[in-house]
Amino acid sequence: MNRIFAIFVLVAAALHRCAADDSDTPAVTCGSAIKITHVKSGAGKYLLFDSEGKNRQGGSGQHLATWLRDDPSNNRAMWWIRPAHHGVDDTEYPTGGDASKHRTCHRAAEEVKCGDTIRLTNMATRRQLHSHQVKSPLSNQQEVSVYEGQDFGDDWVVECVESSGVWRRGETVRLKHVQTGGYLGASPEAEFNERTCGRNCPLMHHLESFTRGGKDHLSEIRAEQGIYLHI
């Protein structure tokens, strides 16, 4: 993982200098590093975030993914778009016998199409956005964590709402967890605060991130600013 991450940083820096897509609605591509917002979370822009906090009420013991209001100084809201898990840790893109069982990208800067399966790795912590059959702490949906390892629990399908072709910045999509079938989401009603988490809550004013079977406005997200690789 460290080797792959180092290679990505070098490639991304080179591509960004000569071929970053700076249009208003660039396509999300494999190798891009982007911020993701929750569409219907009320006033303020909530970003998907590696909280580095844990569920103190039980759960998996992994760090939780949450949603936090946009803060320019925050470096844990940037997510690296990667191909679906294919079981070979030292190879970033699936090739030949290592090909993923899901439709996914096979090279850097390839557009992420509606229906593709991807992974999201946090750029600051190098953990994977992950879900499983574990109850989330506030809403009792399914927990969304940021996982230090790599497995098929990291895979998400991109379901487009405003497009039938390619995932683009600013367009509404949903992320469906492959293993559980739940949709990534949030709700203003599921906030960590003194009432729900205690006075010394380490996740104060974060929104809980969860997956659930419901396919509604709570699961609508958008790609925002970032480095969009384009060749």
Side-chain angles (χ1 to χ4, degrees):
M1 176 64 178
N2 288 340
R3 178 187 172 194
I4 292 172
F5 188 82
I7 292 172
F8 163 76
V9 171
L10 292 174
V11 171
L15 287 172
H16 181 52
R17 284 194 297 270
C18 64
D21 188 337
D22 58 358
S23 65
D24 290 338
T25 58
V28 177
T29 59
C30 258
S32 293
I34 64 173
K35 292 183 178 182
I36 296 173
T37 60
H38 188 252
V39 174
K40 300 293 185 181
S41 54
K45 184 182 290 185
Y46 281 86
L47 298 174
L48 184 63
F49 182 74
D50 182 342
S51 70
E52 295 199 300
K54 296 184 179 181
N55 178 5
R56 300 192 297 183
Q57 303 171 25
S60 66
Q62 297 172 11
H63 290 264
L64 294 177
T66 59
W67 302 84
L68 188 64
R69 289 184 189 275
D70 191 5
D71 176 358
S73 66
N74 191 320
N75 67 349
R76 296 204 301 276
M78 189 74 79
W79 298 87
W80 172 20
I81 306 298
R82 303 176 65 200
H85 182 71
H86 53 91
V88 183
D89 290 346
D90 61 351
T91 302
E92 177 65 1
Y93 291 93
T95 57
D98 299 332
S100 170
K101 62 182 180 180
H102 304 295
R103 196 183 82 184
T104 192
C105 49
H106 289 78
R107 59 179 175 80
E110 183 178 336
E111 293 179 343
V112 176
K113 301 176 183 63
C114 305
D116 279 359
T117 301
I118 60 168
R119 288 176 292 167
L120 296 97
T121 298
N122 189 273
M123 290 293 292
T125 66
R126 305 187 191 182
R127 290 191 283 256
Q128 329 308 317
L129 188 71
H130 184 93
S131 191
H132 35 226
Q133 297 285 0
V134 176
K135 292 291 187 183
S136 59
L138 300 184
S139 65
N140 289 318
Q141 312 280 352
Q142 290 176 173
E143 179 185 88
V144 178
S145 64
V146 273
Y147 180 49
E148 292 183 3
Q150 299 186 73
D151 64 28
F152 291 106
D154 307 333
D155 286 344
W156 302 83
V157 177
V158 177
E159 292 192 1
C160 298
V161 175
E162 297 184 64
S163 168
S164 60
V166 173
W167 183 14
R168 294 188 178 277
R169 174 178 174 172
E171 294 183 347
T172 302
V173 302
R174 293 185 175 93
L175 290 179
K176 183 178 182 179
H177 190 245
V178 171
Q179 285 192 335
T180 66
Y183 288 89
L184 177 69
S187 169
E189 303 301 317
E191 181 188 63
F192 291 95
N193 51 44
E194 287 191 21
R195 179 180 58 82
T196 61
C197 185
R199 181 172 297 177
N200 297 316
C201 179
L203 302 174
M204 192 68 74
H205 304 308
H206 293 228
L207 299 184
E208 176 189 77
S209 189
F210 53 72
T211 64
R212 59 197 284 270
K215 190 174 180 177
D216 57 20
H217 65 282
L218 295 181
S219 58
E220 293 179 350
I221 64 170
R222 291 180 184 144
E224 298 291 350
Q225 67 265 39
I227 298 173
Y228 286 78
L229 300 187
H230 177 73
I231 295 177

